[in-house]
Amino acid sequence: MQSSLLSRSILLALSMVSAGGAIAADASTADTPDGGTHAAAPTQLDAMLVTGTRASNRTQFETLAPVDVFTKEDITSVDSTDLKDVLAQLVPSFVVQRLPMADGQVFVRPATLRGLSPDQTLVLVNGRRFHRSALLGNRGAQAADLAQIPTSAIKRIEVLRDGASAQYGSDAIAGVINIILEDSPGTEITAGYSQYAQGDGASRDFSARTGWALGDYGSLALFAESSNSDATSRTRQRPDAIAFQAAHPDLDVPNPVQRWGQPELESRRVGFNLKANASDTLEVYAFGLYSHSDGVSDFNWRNPDTTTGAYRTTSIFPGWDLRSIYPVGFSPQYGNVQNDLQLVGGLRGEITPKLRWDVSASYGRNAIDYSLDNAINASLGPDSPTSFDLGRLTQAEKNANVDFNYEWDVAALAKPVNVAFGAEFRQETYEVRAGDPASYAVGPGAAAGLEANANGAPGFSDTQAGKWDQRSHAAYVDMEVPLGERWSIGAAGRYEDFSSFGNTVDGKLSARFAITPDVALRGTFSTGFRAPTPAQLNTTSTTQGLDTRTLQIFTSGRLSPNDPLAQLLGAKPLTPEESRTASLGLTWRTDVGLSGSVDVYRIKLSDRFSQSASFAIPAGTPNPLGYTSVNYFTNDFDTTTSGVDVVGNYLRDLGAGRMTLTLAYNFNRTRVENGSTSVATNETQRVLFEDRLPEHKGSFTGTWDVGAWSLMARVRYYGAWTDSTGNATGDIYQRFGDMTFLDLAAGYRINEHHSLRVGVDNVFDRYPDEATFQASRGLIYSRNAPYDTDGANVYAQYRLTF
């Protein structure tokens, strides 16, 4: 089955080569195997790259591994200020889940490349590592939060779809996303408004960018961006709320009692990008990004008739009844305030024209403050507040890099060998600040069965609070060797030593063979790793959920692998995840504006990181937080991921204008091997890792620029996928079929300074099948969907440039 799918995908891409058409633009020249030149139309593969290669003259077509390049025009064609949503529409193997009512993941949504863990993709800004989020997300992943980067500040995005740990270090297993910031002169101001067809989720967006050329000495660009989004709701009244209203006709029960949808969110982002020449051979550079966001999301409704852990009356608190505060129940309101900072500064220059150097230092910090309103710590009775400070999570990173690049002339070779080498020092620090004592207190009412902790999201306790760090030192060498006009080979190696667990050595081999000047084969083999973070090594957490069968709140504890109870249950020290990646690809370009690539890949991952199965608390073990079950982080299992990426571009003149067609398709399949997540021991984890994301994802985009008009149509396709309830016990599964969405947009350039753009995403207002197993909670569409489930979205945008 898999081989036939790959074959059909490759044939689909190759069939595009035979398509006819006019030459797209003025011809450029390209080297031929015999040293001559011939005319070739520019294609989208002719962009110069800095990702995946340290050579200074490499184009997208000439790379030894697949790299996608997205221009500013590509980025602005997507109506979102969230970079994750932009990449989800542009990159075929990039998937983002919306996750309403999922604690911190409502605001820091997990994003995956090639179906791997979110923290197995490395994020760079201007070629420098971007720090992680402070949130440990689903199954403990701790990844960089792309939403903190302002889209209006981006000049282009380069996505390396290949393992690159030997070149960049930890996390680059699935690939690398490199955000290149704008540095050009001029000013651009944009104002936009969007709203869903159902009348909610209005978003008001504003951005401004201005840049100056500093004479002949450099440039300075400044960015500012703001976004204010209203909440959405795709919710029905819960059946138990309907029953509660019928049983208490004298009360006015809200309809719905809880909201499933996007959170209310305000964001502000600013930044700068500076380059200045100190001399003919020395450049000073610096850039910085700062983001602040504030959001609120709903939690599950607490039914007064069935939530006995909160609504119980007891002689410990004579005369106190929670119904006097929340007579119709309550849905806690979960607040998230984030402050994110990235600062980078450096010097670069040349010792000789052949030997260049770059020294830089960076500091990144992400801090998240959590709060809970409209809640209670029932064990405190009348002394409990209804609003809680739950505490703060902080991730801080310091990096220092020194890099050299040498063009080594070898007598036997027509072109120089590019040799890059350097070293890196990194320090990661993770800190947990405790919340209000009332948010985690076990009050006197606990003895009578009243639930402890802030109901909905217990705060971080003083025993969970702490500060931990991890340091690493690394050295690397990266070579690219041109063996004549047809062959190029590459080799990279990296040694890295971590204070937490020791050292690792990784390598990469690459090769490219030009069959003709415009058709080439390429392939890579690499080893990689992802080091466990201080947060994953040391922290614990507590979460609450609602069982869809019993409608009872359950409390789960995730313990540190170093916790004595976790060790009693089988926990062992964490070790790095390790990978072996092999890829083989074909890339081409033509004189008629047609270009593209097909790349097949296989990624074998061992010692994958996850949460263990849940365990009941052993009899006689103290359980002051009232855990229903506990688990811990562990190197749990192995997987093999196989897939194919197909990308095709076709540019041609059409009438008085220019037409561009782009096909992007990904097939990706992951299978669990070995470990405790096998079918016999943990069916839930196996299903989630193998089937929670679509195996097929693609898009076909057409644009036509004619005169002052620009028209765009995009078809997005998502294959079938499987969801689960997430119950404390007895998960229920549901298979969702494939989905296709149509997006349309039109832009009009009024004059050289003013332009307008209007569009509709999901023109036909399509929704997936209803999530039948979650109907008891009032949810209509699965919260784990890999696409937006809020329906059609209409937007308008005005842009001023000068």
Side-chain angles (χ1 to χ4, degrees):
M1 177 64 178
Q2 179 176 335
S3 60
S4 65
L5 286 170
L6 299 183
S7 300
R8 289 201 301 270
S9 301
I10 293 172
L11 289 172
L12 171 64
L14 292 177
S15 67
M16 296 177 64
V17 176
S18 62
I23 293 177
D26 294 337
S28 61
T29 61
D31 293 336
T32 64
D34 60 4
T37 61
H38 81 291
T43 72
Q44 293 189 8
L45 297 182
D46 293 319
M48 300 297 290
L49 297 179
V50 297
T51 309
T53 177
R54 288 184 167 90
S56 60
N57 59 349
R58 193 71 72 218
T59 69
Q60 186 180 3
F61 177 70
E62 297 167 331
T63 57
L64 306 183
V67 181
D68 293 323
V69 179
F70 302 103
T71 66
K72 192 175 187 69
E73 289 72 25
D74 296 324
I75 297 165
T76 56
S77 72
V78 180
D79 176 50
S80 179
T81 60
D82 188 327
L83 184 53
K84 292 180 181 179
D85 290 330
V86 173
L87 288 171
Q89 292 204 25
L90 297 178
V91 181
S93 61
F94 193 86
V95 177
V96 181
Q97 294 171 283
R98 179 62 70 180
L99 296 178
M101 204 184 295
D103 298 357
Q105 291 185 121
V106 175
F107 307 101
V108 184
R109 295 181 295 148
T112 64
L113 187 67
R114 289 184 164 177
L116 301 184
S117 176
D119 54 6
Q120 290 170 346
T121 299
L122 178 63
V123 176
L124 308 175
V125 176
N126 282 352
R128 292 293 177 257
R129 178 182 286 264
F130 189 73
H131 59 275
R132 308 176 194 277
S133 167
L135 175 71
L136 273 70
N138 195 16
R139 291 176 297 279
Q142 188 183 6
D145 184 10
L146 288 161
Q148 304 302 321
I149 301 173
T151 56
S152 60
I154 299 174
K155 182 177 183 178
R156 71 178 186 276
I157 302 172
E158 297 178 0
V159 180
L160 171 64
R161 294 179 277 111
D162 194 46
S165 292
Q167 297 165 294
Y168 295 103
S170 179
D171 305 348
I173 290 177
V176 179
I177 298 173
N178 191 6
I179 313 299
I180 310 299
L181 298 180
E182 186 65 78
D183 59 359
S184 59
T187 299
E188 182 176 273
I189 298 173
T190 303
Y193 180 84
S194 65
Q195 183 172 297
Y196 285 95
Q198 292 201 20
D200 59 4
S203 179
R204 296 157 289 277
D205 306 312
F206 176 85
S207 65
R209 179 194 63 82
T210 187
W212 302 272
L214 304 178
D216 296 327
Y217 301 102
S219 63
L220 172 64
L222 302 178
F223 325 110
E225 187 174 281
S226 70
S227 178
N228 189 331
S229 300
D230 296 339
T232 62
S233 178
R234 301 297 175 265
T235 317
R236 292 194 183 101
Q237 184 66 302
R238 286 173 46 153
D240 59 335
I242 296 173
F244 179 80
Q245 178 69 87
H248 304 276
D250 53 317
L251 299 177
D252 185 12
V253 179
N255 187 4
V257 290
Q258 69 185 63
R259 181 183 55 81
W260 291 94
Q262 299 179 33
E264 181 181 335
L265 183 63
E266 294 184 7
S267 301
R268 305 288 184 269
R269 307 180 186 98
V270 296
F272 73 94
N273 190 19
L274 171 68
K275 300 177 183 178
N277 296 322
S279 70
D280 291 341
T281 59
L282 178 63
E283 181 185 71
V284 180
Y285 64 91
F287 63 89
L289 299 170
Y290 173 76
S291 175
H292 172 83
S293 61
D294 190 345
V296 177
S297 178
D298 276 22
F299 269 7
N300 284 300
W301 177 64
R302 273 63 175 164
N303 186 332
D305 286 350
T306 59
T307 312
T308 56
Y311 281 90
R312 184 189 306 269
T313 58
T314 171
S315 59
I316 296 175
F317 304 119
W320 184 78
D321 188 339
L322 187 57
R323 293 174 189 266
S324 63
I325 303 175
Y326 301 123
V328 295
F330 62 100
S331 176
Q333 301 292 292
Y334 190 62
N336 175 297
V337 176
Q338 284 198 67
N339 289 283
D340 192 275
L341 174 68
Q342 178 86 2
L343 290 172
V344 177
L347 299 169
R348 55 186 166 219
E350 61 181 43
I351 300 172
T352 71
K354 297 284 188 179
L355 179 59
R356 299 180 298 277
W357 58 271
D358 190 326
V359 177
S360 66
S362 68
Y363 174 77
R365 181 178 183 271
N366 178 261
I368 308 176
D369 290 276
Y370 294 109
S371 63
L372 195 70
D373 295 326
N374 200 49
I376 198 76
N377 182 338
S379 71
L380 295 176
D383 295 328
S384 172
T386 56
S387 295
F388 302 88
D389 171 13
L390 302 180
R392 172 185 295 174
L393 303 177
T394 303
Q395 170 79 10
E397 299 179 26
K398 299 175 183 176
N399 291 267
N401 294 79
V402 55
D403 303 289
F404 296 90
N405 202 86
Y406 179 56
E407 294 182 9
W408 179 22
D409 292 318
V410 179
L413 300 176
K415 296 180 181 179
V417 175
N418 195 85
V419 182
F421 55 96
E424 180 181 55
F425 167 78
R426 294 182 58 217
Q427 181 180 23
E428 290 189 59
T429 303
Y430 195 77
E431 183 176 4
V432 178
R433 178 183 63 78
D436 293 336
S439 70
Y440 58 85
V442 180
L450 287 171
E451 293 173 344
N453 315 309
N455 198 301
F460 303 115
S461 68
D462 52 358
T463 58
Q464 293 175 305
K467 190 173 184 179
W468 308 271
D469 67 7
Q470 175 176 267
R471 296 169 302 283
S472 67
H473 302 78
Y476 74 88
V477 62
D478 190 352
M479 301 179 63
E480 293 186 24
V481 184
L483 300 177
E485 295 295 335
R486 290 181 180 270
W487 277 102
S488 296
I489 61 173
R494 185 182 184 95
Y495 169 86
E496 193 150 0
D497 183 78
F498 286 81
S499 60
S500 298
F501 55 83
N503 61 68
T504 178
V505 178
D506 289 279
K508 182 173 184 176
L509 297 174
S510 309
R512 181 181 183 275
F513 177 70
I515 302 172
T516 73
D518 295 321
V519 180
L521 284 171
R522 62 192 178 195
T524 68
F525 176 79
S526 64
T527 62
F529 73 103
R530 190 201 65 81
T533 68
Q536 293 165 341
L537 289 165
N538 298 285
T539 64
T540 64
S541 69
T542 303
T543 58
Q544 289 185 333
L546 183 76
D547 192 293
T548 60
R549 286 173 167 169
T550 66
L551 296 184
Q552 295 299 306
I553 302 297
F554 60 85
T555 303
S556 300
R558 194 267 301 156
L559 307 179
S560 163
N562 301 321
D563 186 280
L565 176 56
Q567 293 177 346
L568 176 66
L569 297 171
K572 297 178 180 179
L574 295 178
T575 60
E577 298 173 307
E578 298 182 346
S579 67
R580 288 177 293 163
T581 300
S583 68
L584 180 65
L586 175 71
T587 184
W588 66 87
R589 59 186 180 182
T590 70
D591 294 343
V592 294
L594 181 66
S595 62
S597 62
V598 177
D599 293 274
V600 295
Y601 57 87
R602 187 178 182 87
I603 306 168
K604 292 188 72 69
L605 265 163
S606 59
D607 296 327
R608 285 199 67 168
F609 180 79
S610 183
Q611 291 180 191
S612 71
S614 294
F615 300 91
I617 302 295
T621 303
N623 188 16
L625 295 179
Y627 289 138
T628 309
S629 61
V630 295
N631 56 46
Y632 50 82
F633 290 147
T634 180
N635 294 101
D636 200 32
F637 60 102
D638 304 336
T639 60
T640 297
T641 297
S642 305
V644 58
D645 287 322
V646 180
V647 177
N649 298 290
Y650 181 46
L651 290 78
R652 64 162 294 165
D653 295 330
L654 181 64
R658 167 67 60 82
M659 179 187 69
T660 303
L661 301 177
T662 301
L663 168 72
Y665 166 77
N666 171 254
F667 167 78
N668 193 86
R669 174 176 290 168
T670 295
R671 289 294 177 259
V672 172
E673 303 167 348
N674 306 320
S676 63
T677 57
S678 62
V679 178
T681 57
N682 198 325
E683 173 74 1
T684 298
Q685 289 295 314
R686 185 194 65 80
V687 170
L688 290 177
F689 272 94
E690 293 187 351
D691 301 324
R692 66 187 173 88
L693 297 176
E695 291 186 346
H696 301 270
K697 180 174 178 281
S699 66
F700 185 77
T701 305
T703 62
W704 186 38
D705 297 313
V706 53
W709 288 93
S710 177
L711 307 177
M712 188 275 290
R714 177 181 290 126
V715 177
R716 294 179 283 130
Y717 173 79
Y718 298 82
W721 59 284
T722 299
D723 196 11
S724 69
T725 58
N727 282 344
T729 58
D731 271 348
I732 307 170
Y733 302 99
Q734 182 176 351
R735 186 71 171 169
F736 291 89
D738 57 358
M739 288 289 294
T740 302
F741 303 99
L742 173 65
D743 308 328
L744 297 175
Y748 180 71
R749 189 174 65 253
I750 301 171
N751 55 43
E752 61 177 327
H753 299 298
H754 304 273
S755 62
L756 294 172
R757 179 182 174 86
V758 296
V760 183
D761 288 343
N762 189 2
V763 171
F764 297 113
D765 199 28
R766 297 200 64 204
Y767 297 87
D769 294 338
E770 295 189 6
T772 55
F773 61 72
Q774 297 193 34
S776 60
R777 293 195 281 179
L779 179 142
I780 301 176
Y781 309 109
S782 171
R783 64 175 179 173
N784 298 313
Y787 36 71
D788 190 345
T789 59
D790 285 331
N793 187 52
V794 183
Y795 62 91
Q797 188 181 81
Y798 163 75
R799 178 172 289 123
L800 170 65
T801 58
F802 55 91

